[in-house]
């Protein structure tokens, strides 16, 4: 049943809402979202075969290199349903608006925004692996947004696929019949036409008042160097027309629409877009703060008075400092972060100064991968060289005199008598084959976790629920979980509150002076091992000076670990061969006095490379990509 070429190609003017179907694809990393999207683009013939490539909607270099989706992508596709199709869908020509979403837990916020623009979600699951923890979390998000769920099993062509087993597992989770689960192979294209027909049949048409004042929800924005801010919207009521004057309801800013259109999958200009349609608009605005994600767009004259419900703003879970290696790049870094924030509303930042690293920004991220991707994008897209400090979470410190401090950076940890330190905790869900229960329990116990419950999803798959300190997760927890379970376990987590803990600040002192960039807040039991590890690492990285340099790790005034960088010893006796021993002694004493004097005034020069090497490999997975 081939598609009719350009059957519903975007035409100037509105599309009848009854033939529009808005849906998104939610799945775990590497379960085939982007490949399924490729097959849909191919079947609907919106991409010229010569321009087609694998993972067509993954536009960023970093997405293609890592093989993961980071940004949601919207695309409009025409689809012709033939008469007498097996699915029983009404024959005719339809317009499908698809949003391809990320699968990693750090980009859940991208998914939640995409769900607001849809009426249905395809739940895509690997037929060889079953549903994963992060997919389960995204499924609950979709159900919470009242979306219709279409279950689909992918990769049925694999020799290890067990479609019947996982169809029963999916049916149990969603509450449908196993026969309702569609079975496809995105790689070979088998069953994809049936999925498109089911989307037409099962997805409700968008509902909205075509005659009401215009209201459109901004679900994404990007910055284009030549055209300014490009805003992606989903029209809920009324219509948006080319050259209209529009108003942003949260900021009150007004603009003229210079360009309007739909994405199919490249930008195609259109005269107007109406109820239920997703499209883009360009106003020529260069200020990135005037087009906020979650804002409502309406007409300037006779516009709506009630904005649409936006998005719940995500709270950062992990903080890290970003500093330019060249201090002159500081203004460029500020501008780059502002542009990235437009495209990634979950990123927060504020200026910060470090004695060791100079001027930079304290940035808040949703997780470690989010931090890695942000740093990578800043270096690639804006040509910056950056140092990032070791990531840490937000602590609440209560002093004995009753005052409270919020600590996002170890250097802010207060001195004096501390009554209590509270750390954020998360509710973690781990899905794994039942063979690894003991291994996972051992790991979670090491990380101060408390088991909350355990359920068997099937005879050999188990779901474990833990309460874990967030500070333990941002270090090497994810890497260790993957390596100990041979890659089979999956993790999802959400913040659930705070708990009191015995936490201390470990300072690293060079020649008696604390270096703020190397300080860390850790549990008292782990303080010694952190101190030994950092002292050993710095001993190898810092070049020898002309005097002996002690490297110490200390909690308050108490030193818990020490290494020493030996002094460079110049051979002052080279010219003294033979003769009286007292001459040699006199020269050695003179050298000793000189070194003593240098030691009193000496300041250890730490090369930039030492900071980069020490900070990039401390704690978390360093710069290793995670999937």
């Amino acid at each position: 049943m081939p598609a009719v070429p350009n059957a519903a190609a975007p035409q100037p003017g509105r599309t009848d809402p009854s033939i529009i179907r808005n849906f998104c694809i939610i799945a775990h990393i590497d379960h085939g979202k982007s490949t399924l999207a490729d097959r849909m683009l191919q079947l609907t013939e919106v991409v010229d075969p010569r321009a087609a490539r694998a993972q067509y909607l993954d536009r960023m270099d970093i997405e293609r290199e890592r093989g993961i989706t980071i940004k949601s992508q919207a695309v409009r596709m025409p689809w012709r349903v033939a008469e007498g199709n097996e699915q029983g869908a009404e024959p005719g020509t339809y317009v499908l608006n698809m949003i391809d979403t990320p699968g990693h837990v750090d980009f859940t916020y991208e998914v939640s925004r995409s769900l607001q623009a849809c009426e249905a979600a395809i739940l895509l699951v690997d037929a060889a692996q079953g549903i994963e923890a992060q997919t389960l979390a995204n499924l609950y998000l979709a159900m919470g947004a009242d979306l219709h769920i279409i279950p689909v099993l992918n990769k049925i062509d694999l020799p290890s696929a067990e479609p019947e087993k996982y169809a029963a597992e999916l049916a149990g989770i969603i509450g449908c019949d196993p026969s309702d689960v569609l079975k496809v192979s995105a790689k070979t294209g088998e069953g994809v036409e049936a999925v498109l027909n089911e989307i037409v049949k099962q997805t409700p048409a968008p509902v909205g008042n075509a005659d009401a004042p215009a209201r459109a929800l901004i679900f994404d924005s990007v910055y284009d160097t030549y055209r300014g801010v490009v805003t992606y919207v989903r029209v809920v009521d009324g219509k948006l027309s080319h050259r209209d004057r529009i108003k942003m309801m949260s900021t009150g800013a007004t603009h003229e629409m210079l360009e309007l259109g739909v994405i199919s999958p490249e930008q195609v200009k259109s005269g107007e877009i109406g109820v239920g349609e997703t499209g883009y608009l360009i106003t020529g605005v260069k200020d990135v703060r005037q087009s906020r994600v979650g804002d409502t767009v309406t007409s300037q004259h006779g516009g709506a008075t009630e904005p649409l419900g936006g998005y719940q703003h995500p709270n950062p879970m992990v903080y890290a400092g970003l500093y330019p290696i060249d201090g002159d790049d500081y203004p460029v870094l500020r501008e780059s972060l502002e542009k990235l924030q437009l495209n990634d509303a979950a990123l927060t930042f504020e200026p910060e100064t470090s004695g060791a690293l100079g001027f930079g920004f304290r940035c808040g991220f949703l997780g470690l991968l989010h931090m890695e991707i942000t740093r990578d994008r800043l270096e690639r897209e804006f040509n910056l060289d950056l140092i990032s400090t070791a990531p840490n979470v937000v602590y609440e410190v209560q002093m004995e005199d009753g005052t409270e401090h919020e600590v996002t950076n170890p250097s802010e940890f207060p001195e004096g008598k501390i009554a209590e330190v509270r750390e954020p905790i998360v509710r973690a869900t781990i899905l794994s084959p039942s063979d690894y229960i003991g291994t996972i329990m051992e790991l979670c116990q090491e990380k101060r976790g408390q088991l909350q419950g355990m359920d068997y999803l099937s005879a050999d798959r188990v779901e474990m629920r833990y309460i874990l300190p967030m500070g333990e997760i941002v270090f090497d927890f994810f890497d260790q979980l993957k390596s100990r379970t041979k890659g089979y376990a999956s993790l999802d987590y959400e913040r659930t509150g705070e708990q009191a803990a015995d936490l201390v600040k470990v300072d690293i002192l060079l020649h008696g002076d604390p270096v703020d960039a190397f300080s860390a807040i850790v549990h008292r039991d782990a303080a010694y091992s952190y101190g030994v590890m950092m002292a050993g690492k710095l001993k190898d990285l810092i070049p020898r000076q002309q005097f002996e340099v002690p490297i110490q790790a200390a909690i308050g005034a108490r030193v818990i670990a020490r290494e020493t960088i030996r002094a460079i010893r110049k051979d002052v006796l080279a010219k003294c061969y033979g003769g009286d021993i007292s001459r040699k002694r006199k020269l050695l004493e003179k050298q000793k006095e000189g070194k003593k004097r240098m030691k009193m005034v000496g300041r250890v020069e730490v090369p930039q490379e030492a900071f980069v090497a020490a900070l990039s490999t401390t704690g978390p997975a360093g710069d290793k990509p995670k999937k």
Side-chain angles (χ1 to χ4, degrees):
M1 179 179 41
V4 175
N6 299 322
Q11 302 296 329
R14 284 178 283 173
T15 306
D16 179 1
S18 65
I19 65 163
I20 295 174
R21 300 289 184 269
N22 294 318
F23 70 98
C24 61
I25 304 174
I26 52 178
H28 191 67
I29 300 157
D30 210 28
H31 278 207
K33 291 182 298 300
S34 299
T35 311
L36 180 63
D38 287 348
R39 289 295 83 73
M40 289 179 172
L41 293 175
Q42 192 180 343
L43 277 172
T44 54
E45 298 186 2
V46 291
V47 178
D48 188 308
R50 287 173 300 178
R53 58 177 185 175
Q55 281 82 48
Y56 189 85
L57 295 179
D58 289 344
R59 303 292 173 86
M60 292 192 289
D61 290 344
I62 193 167
E63 289 181 309
R64 304 188 68 77
E65 280 172 24
R66 289 176 180 242
I68 58 174
T69 303
I70 295 163
K71 289 298 301 171
S72 301
Q73 294 287 348
V75 60
R76 174 184 171 125
M77 306 178 293
W79 179 244
R80 176 75 176 268
V81 176
E83 289 189 25
N85 64 84
E86 291 175 20
Q87 287 70 36
E90 283 288 317
T93 300
Y94 293 84
V95 172
L96 308 182
N97 286 320
M98 173 187 66
I99 298 179
D100 180 21
T101 61
H104 196 280
V105 62
D106 285 12
F107 303 110
T108 304
Y109 181 58
E110 284 282 324
V111 179
S112 70
R113 287 178 3 201
S114 306
L115 297 179
Q116 299 281 341
C118 301
E119 276 78 38
I122 290 179
L123 176 66
L124 191 68
V125 174
D126 189 325
Q129 292 182 19
I131 196 161
E132 304 278 12
Q134 289 154 26
T135 320
L136 209 52
N138 288 342
L139 170 64
Y140 294 144
L141 275 178
M143 287 175 159
D146 209 20
L147 265 60
H148 180 78
I149 308 295
I150 303 170
V152 178
L153 277 177
N154 188 22
K155 305 192 184 181
I156 57 168
D157 56 312
L158 290 180
S160 57
E162 298 177 78
E164 302 311 320
K165 174 186 168 184
Y166 291 119
E169 186 179 293
L170 267 182
I173 293 167
I174 299 170
C176 66
D177 194 84
S179 60
D180 296 336
V181 178
L182 302 171
K183 299 177 181 70
V184 304
S185 167
K187 186 178 176 183
T188 63
E190 182 188 343
V192 179
E193 284 184 14
V195 172
L196 289 166
N197 287 338
E198 283 291 348
I199 290 165
V200 169
K201 181 185 167 187
Q202 295 188 36
T203 307
V207 178
N209 186 347
D211 302 318
R215 288 199 304 170
L217 186 69
I218 299 177
F219 68 88
D220 204 359
S221 300
V222 291
Y223 186 82
D224 186 293
T225 315
Y226 305 104
R227 299 190 294 174
V229 177
V230 181
T231 306
Y232 295 105
V233 295
R234 152 74 195 264
V235 181
V236 176
D237 292 325
K239 62 171 185 175
L240 293 173
S241 304
H242 183 52
R243 291 290 175 187
D244 272 2
R245 285 202 69 81
I246 55 166
K247 176 179 157 188
M248 305 292 183
M249 290 187 79
S250 71
T251 58
T254 59
H255 315 286
E256 182 185 359
M257 270 192 290
L258 303 179
E259 191 178 316
L260 178 73
V262 295
I263 304 131
S264 183
E266 306 304 328
Q267 291 174 353
V268 180
K269 292 182 188 177
S270 177
E272 60 183 44
I273 53 175
V275 172
E277 292 191 83
T278 56
Y280 72 95
L281 52 97
I282 297 172
T283 56
V285 172
K286 296 286 185 189
D287 184 0
V288 295
R289 288 180 289 267
Q290 289 189 20
S291 189
R292 296 212 335 253
V293 168
D295 197 358
T296 303
V297 178
T298 188
S299 308
Q300 183 182 351
H301 304 294
T305 52
E306 279 292 306
L308 296 161
Y311 310 105
Q312 188 178 1
H313 199 74
N315 293 322
M317 289 198 174
V318 177
Y319 283 86
L322 286 179
Y323 295 86
I325 288 179
D326 181 354
D328 295 342
D329 284 341
Y330 177 75
V332 183
L333 178 58
R334 177 193 289 279
E335 200 178 306
S336 307
L337 282 166
E338 282 180 357
K339 287 176 182 172
L340 263 196
Q341 195 176 38
L342 169 78
N343 193 227
D344 179 2
L347 172 69
T348 62
F349 62 92
E350 57 184 37
E352 177 181 72
T353 313
S354 156
L357 301 172
F359 292 103
F361 290 92
R362 190 92 196 144
C363 302
F365 307 97
L366 294 181
L368 277 187
L369 184 71
H370 186 207
M371 174 185 132
E372 242 176 76
I373 296 292
T374 303
R375 181 182 159 185
D376 221 337
R377 287 185 68 187
L378 285 167
E379 291 182 340
R380 284 162 184 263
E381 295 172 26
F382 303 101
N383 221 8
L384 289 163
D385 286 324
L386 300 172
I387 298 177
S388 59
T389 62
N392 61 278
V393 297
V394 187
Y395 299 99
E396 297 286 339
V397 181
Q398 190 169 359
M399 309 300 286
E400 284 189 356
D401 61 6
T403 56
E404 292 202 3
H405 300 268
E406 186 179 82
V407 178
T408 59
N409 186 344
S411 62
E412 296 168 4
F413 202 80
E415 302 289 330
K417 294 190 174 178
I418 292 167
E420 187 180 61
V421 183
R422 289 188 299 279
E423 63 178 347
I425 53 173
V426 297
R427 185 184 289 113
T429 306
I430 300 167
L431 292 193
S432 162
S434 48
D435 304 357
Y436 300 107
I437 290 175
T439 312
I440 293 168
M441 282 183 160
E442 188 185 339
L443 172 64
C444 292
Q445 210 166 340
E446 284 172 22
K447 301 293 182 183
R448 300 187 285 127
Q450 301 155 26
L451 183 63
Q452 298 297 297
M454 192 162 74
D455 290 317
Y456 278 85
L457 297 178
S458 62
D460 56 355
R461 294 246 300 163
V462 69
E463 176 187 81
M464 302 170 77
R465 294 179 299 282
Y466 267 93
I467 295 290
L468 284 158
M470 182 73 199
E472 299 286 357
I473 283 188
V474 303
F475 284 101
D476 55 354
F477 183 81
F478 188 75
D479 278 3
Q480 286 208 36
L481 178 69
K482 283 291 185 191
S483 62
R484 292 191 192 193
T485 60
K486 299 186 172 64
Y488 283 111
S490 67
L491 168 75
D492 179 61
Y493 57 84
E494 61 174 352
R495 186 163 172 177
T496 184
E498 292 181 331
Q499 70 177 14
D502 185 12
L503 300 167
V504 292
K505 178 190 175 189
V506 179
D507 281 315
I508 303 295
L509 292 86
L510 282 183
H511 203 247
D513 297 325
V515 182
D516 58 352
F518 297 135
S519 299
I521 298 167
V522 295
H523 193 268
R524 195 178 291 277
D525 296 346
Y528 174 71
S529 56
Y530 176 80
V532 169
M533 185 258 307
M534 276 307 282
K537 193 175 288 183
L538 289 172
K539 183 187 177 186
D540 297 337
L541 292 169
I542 295 173
R544 289 167 71 182
Q545 313 285 313
Q546 292 209 321
F547 49 90
E548 195 175 82
V549 178
I551 303 169
Q552 297 163 310
I555 299 172
R558 187 166 65 89
V559 174
I560 57 169
R562 171 177 169 141
E563 291 281 358
T564 306
I565 300 172
R566 310 294 301 171
I568 299 170
R569 188 177 178 91
K570 185 185 173 192
D571 188 3
V572 291
L573 306 181
K575 291 183 280 186
C576 297
Y577 42 88
D580 188 7
I581 189 72
S582 59
R583 166 86 176 136
K584 295 180 184 175
R585 283 214 184 104
K586 188 177 172 187
L587 283 169
L588 288 171
E589 286 299 319
K590 196 174 175 186
Q591 184 187 41
K592 204 169 168 185
E593 283 299 314
K595 287 202 172 174
K596 209 175 199 176
R597 200 163 53 249
M598 277 180 74
K599 194 171 182 177
M600 286 162 63
V601 296
R603 187 174 178 280
V604 185
E605 289 296 322
V606 183
Q608 209 76 31
E609 299 77 50
F611 278 112
V612 176
L615 293 173
S616 65
T617 49
T618 347
D623 289 334
K624 291 181 287 184
K626 275 200 287 294
K627 293 207 175 175

